Amino acid sequence: MHPVLATILKRLGLGVATLFVVSAIIFSSISLLPGDFGEAVLGQAATTETVAAFRKELGLDKPAPVRYLDWVSSVLKGDFGTSFSGRAASGVDRSRSVAELIAPRLKNTLFLAGVTAIIAVPLALLIGLTAALYRNSLYDRGVNALTLTTISMPEFFVAYILILLLSSLWPVFPSLANVDASTEFGERLRRIALPAITLTLVIVAHMMRMTRAAIINLLASPYIEMALLKGASRSEVILKHALPNAWAPIATVIAFNLAYLVVGVVVVEVVFVYPGIGQLMVDSVTARDTPVVQACALIFASTYIVLNLIADVIGIVTNPRLLHPR
Amino acid sequence: MSIEHNDVLLEMRNVHIEGFADEQWHPIIKGVDLTLKRGQVLGVIGESGAGKSTLGLAAMGFVRPGCRFTQGTVHFNGTELIALSETEKRAFWGTRIAYVAQSAAAAFNPAHRLIDQTCEATVRAGISSRDESRSDAIALYESLQLPDASNIGERYPHQVSGGQLQRVMTAMAMSSRPDLIIFDEPTTALDVTTQVEVLSAMRKIVEHYGAAAIYITHDLAVVAQMADDIKVLRYGEEVEEAETRVMLESPKEAYTRSLWSVRALEKTEEKGEDIVLSMQGIDAAYGSSKVLHNVSINLPRGKTVAVVGESGSGKSTAARVITGLLPPTAGTVQFNGEALPSGLKSRTQSQLQRIQMIYQMADTAMNPRQTVDEIIGRPLEFYLGLSGAAREQRVLELLTMIELDESFLDRYPSELSGGQKQRVCIARALAAEPDVIICDEVTSALDQIVQEGILQLLLRLQQEFGISYLFITHDIATVKAISDEIVVMYQGEVVEQGLKSDILSPPHPAYTELLLSSVPEMDPDWLSTLLKERA
């Protein structure tokens, strides 16, 4: 087997192991949350007997390790369980499966993240490379100052400014990003324009600065001087001689920012009333809807692990030392 | 002999270059003239900081970032290079003028195949098509005696050895058949045995294509093999220039003579009977790769044993085994007649104290955030429990021993010169009052004159305190200067150990013969004679 394949498989195995550890942490930290669904739904007036009966119905009376094993084994079978909400004391069970609850929300989040990534990643690379090419020029300083400004402002602030500019003063895009399953693709794009721009402004700075730094870091290398002395132009030096050696750090920071687009955008979702997974999780935490919270946390963790794995693989396959061993 | 004007390829007049550091401009080259005829090879020698590389690059009209031309002209083939724009200069680089850098391992882009890098300049300039250029590169590889010439270009830089890389770089420089090649210390990073092969390959190909060359080095013996004329540089100024033989036989300036002073230093050997440290049948490995095979070395008390061999021969690994940094897989290390525990952690403080180590890179062996006082004082506190006035007193004594004064106490390593840094490292080792000091290539990173000072200091300290040295080096001149006994190592095994005079005089085992004969001598015919003998 090629050593690179072996390394990748090893990373994959480690990723799975990490996921297990994370699942245990998620489970135990949710158990530590004060109060439980029974009390939250039935209210303080409920008798101890009613609460106990309700807890028993939901399986909350079993000891924690048993509940954990139950959860993990059903997740492994693809069953994320049933949401607690909708099981109010009225006696009618209107609860839905967790998968059914999460699926449309996750789709929305991934759609927003995808659109943002398609804009932000190429943009960041382009700005980063040109800034490195014309380093210390007016252009370089300009984009550096600009991206620093956008990254320094809180997301909700950026969002409200965009609403003010692009929705109130010059009404180009809607300020509400309320989409549902029936929204057409084009309309969907129009509605998520403002959240996508907000997120782009937030993440471009980080990726762009890393790209610039990774390239400039290499420019002091003897092989860059050699390339110059062989008559390479400045853009050739950057694109052909520096960039191929800079992919690993750039991929890492891109993966980090893409993960943020999935797991960290709840504030932006709230501002634009976008039905994403972040809002769902926050609502579920408030309602002590444990199965949903756990599933969301697990999805977030997997997002991080998978994206970092991809960044690692990019780092490996762009390193000839690993790809072509001696 | 008068030079016809059209014979002159490169003419540098009154070149001044400044570099920016510490918020101001410092002169690096202070008005150097240089004339090079077509097909002539000029050697430029000097110590580090003399401005050799800067001058070599200036011949291409290039200055490194943070440097600038302030005066002077560089006429190449009738064109004034300095005045040209960057784009115009680029038309000369890699085509009419080529550059061969010091460390081939660092000067090749790790991300591209060798042949693509070899052909890059010619293909870009449209001198030849990609296919023509590739077949020409293979022909050049062949004439440079690279193994498997037709396929070696498909490899990546990390897949071939340093000597091979340096030859590929010569092929790269030659690919456009330039009028001028700048060789910037091309063999400094190589072992002597490899150096001979690379030197002969470079000389042959330069002669064959009649290119002019500037050959930059700090090694007079090497430049003697390569150059028609030699220019000596110091502090950015020319000391003297003469034809090679004239320069070697009767250098005019005292400074030039001092450049090979280490080669004159020679310790009279003494045989030692009382063995202070001995490695017995040591095997050692890094992970699964075995590095030392049944290594036995004896170090007599108060004497110096030099361990020589090329890189990868296991010299430094042997030092790591003795210090306990790398526990051996078999064999024992005996110290004062007792077996030392193999690992660092299981040794007593006194055992640690008795064996000290000095490293090649004094820069990285000192904490940059500590002053000289802290660096030297630390072992005094740790091993000897000194504090307060006693500690102060002892630090001053140690400073005196290494020929520095108390004004150095509050300085940081970055405020010291290379030689001073190494002296502080010696004082730190000395502070522990050791029986044995392991010196790992301690003079390799230093200039010749500074080397001599360090070696004489080590010799004096040995006489005064009876310290035993295990002196690891690849440089035979240093071996002659400091050792009583010599151990020759090759591929993790000891080839032979014995008194200096025995090892250095024939008959030799085959490897010792190869090693000794590869050391360049100050005779311009040395390389030719050697190659004839070996053929």
Side-chain angles (χ1 to χ4, degrees), chain A residues 221-234 236 240-242 244-245 318 320-322 324-326, chain B residues 57 60 62 64 86 90 93-94 99 101 106-113 117 120-121 124 156 158-159 169 172:
Chain A
S221 314
Y223 61 81
I224 296 294
E225 183 176 276
M226 193 69 215
L228 279 174
L229 292 174
K230 284 199 294 183
S233 66
R234 288 218 281 178
E236 242 179 310
K240 200 172 152 196
H241 289 277
N245 294 294
T318 56
R321 278 169 203 279
L322 299 173
H324 307 275
R326 290 179 80 95
Chain B
L57 290 170
M60 306 179 76
F62 178 85
R64 293 210 160 110
E86 209 186 298
R90 239 181 263 142
W93 296 344
Y99 179 72
F108 273 105
N109 193 321
H112 299 298
R113 295 179 192 274
Q117 303 194 51
E120 188 185 344
R124 180 192 304 112
Y156 284 89
H158 69 276
Q159 292 176 308
M169 188 160 4
M172 180 161 87

Side-chain angles (χ1 to χ4, degrees), chain B residues 63-340:
Chain B
V63 283
R64 293 210 160 110
C67 298
R68 64 176 186 195
F69 287 106
T70 48
Q71 265 188 65
T73 55
V74 177
H75 281 276
F76 174 79
N77 218 355
T79 314
E80 214 288 288
L81 290 182
I82 296 178
L84 296 183
S85 74
E86 209 186 298
T87 320
E88 289 167 320
K89 282 182 198 169
R90 239 181 263 142
F92 288 87
W93 296 344
T95 56
R96 301 323 315 145
I97 315 175
Y99 179 72
V100 176
Q102 170 167 9
S103 166
F108 273 105
N109 193 321
H112 299 298
R113 295 179 192 274
L114 294 173
I115 197 155
D116 294 331
Q117 303 194 51
T118 309
C119 302
E120 188 185 344
T122 47
V123 173
R124 180 192 304 112
I127 295 173
S128 54
S129 73
R130 193 163 174 274
D131 286 346
E132 285 165 5
S133 178
R134 284 174 83 90
S135 49
D136 178 60
I138 292 170
L140 285 170
Y141 293 159
E142 239 157 49
S143 63
L144 285 158
Q145 285 141 32
L146 280 160
D148 193 14
S150 38
N151 296 313
I152 196 171
E154 300 302 324
R155 297 175 155 249
Y156 284 89
H158 69 276
Q159 292 176 308
V160 304
S161 73
Q164 289 169 357
L165 269 186
Q166 201 56 269
R167 276 180 276 170
V168 174
M169 188 160 4
T170 308
M172 180 161 87
M174 202 47 88
S175 64
S176 62
R177 306 295 183 272
D179 301 312
L180 171 62
I181 304 184
I182 316 287
F183 290 100
D184 192 354
E185 306 245 18
T187 60
T188 306
L190 304 177
D191 287 312
V192 275
T193 46
T194 320
Q195 174 171 271
V196 171
E197 297 161 20
V198 175
L199 282 180
S200 72
M202 286 193 305
R203 194 170 72 170
K204 231 166 69 189
I205 204 157
V206 169
E207 270 169 17
H208 181 80
Y209 292 107
I214 294 179
Y215 194 99
I216 297 162
T217 177
H218 66 275
D219 189 335
L220 205 60
V222 165
V223 82
Q225 314 309 317
M226 303 298 290
D228 305 314
D229 300 85
I230 294 176
K231 184 194 277 295
V232 182
L233 219 59
R234 188 188 199 191
Y235 304 141
E237 283 169 306
E238 177 178 322
V239 176
E240 58 180 317
E241 180 177 335
E243 208 245 316
T244 300
R245 279 172 202 283
V246 176
M247 180 71 93
L248 291 180
E249 276 155 26
S250 51
K252 281 193 223 109
E253 304 293 325
Y255 174 71
T256 312
R257 282 194 292 274
S258 73
L259 275 179
W260 56 98
S261 50
V262 174
R263 295 170 187 278
L265 199 67
E266 183 158 356
K267 182 186 180 185
T268 30
E269 65 182 17
E270 284 171 46
K271 196 163 173 54
E273 298 297 339
D274 177 18
I275 303 298
V276 60
L277 181 85
S278 83
M279 299 176 79
Q280 291 165 352
I282 295 283
D283 286 2
Y286 291 112
S288 59
S289 74
K290 229 175 149 204
V291 190
L292 294 184
H293 311 274
N294 192 21
V295 167
S296 298
I297 295 173
N298 286 320
L299 175 59
R301 190 180 302 280
K303 301 290 177 282
T304 304
V305 172
V307 182
V308 293
E310 49 195 77
S311 53
S313 62
K315 307 184 299 275
S316 294
T317 308
R320 289 172 63 85
V321 169
I322 294 172
T323 51
L325 289 169
L326 179 72
T329 50
T332 54
V333 179
Q334 296 251 337
F335 181 65
N336 282 331
E338 286 170 31
L340 281 177

Side-chain angles (χ1 to χ4, degrees), chain A residues 4-16 309:
Chain A
V4 165
L5 196 63
T7 317
I8 291 174
L9 287 178
K10 210 158 75 188
R11 293 286 160 90
L12 203 61
L14 273 175
V16 172
L309 186 73

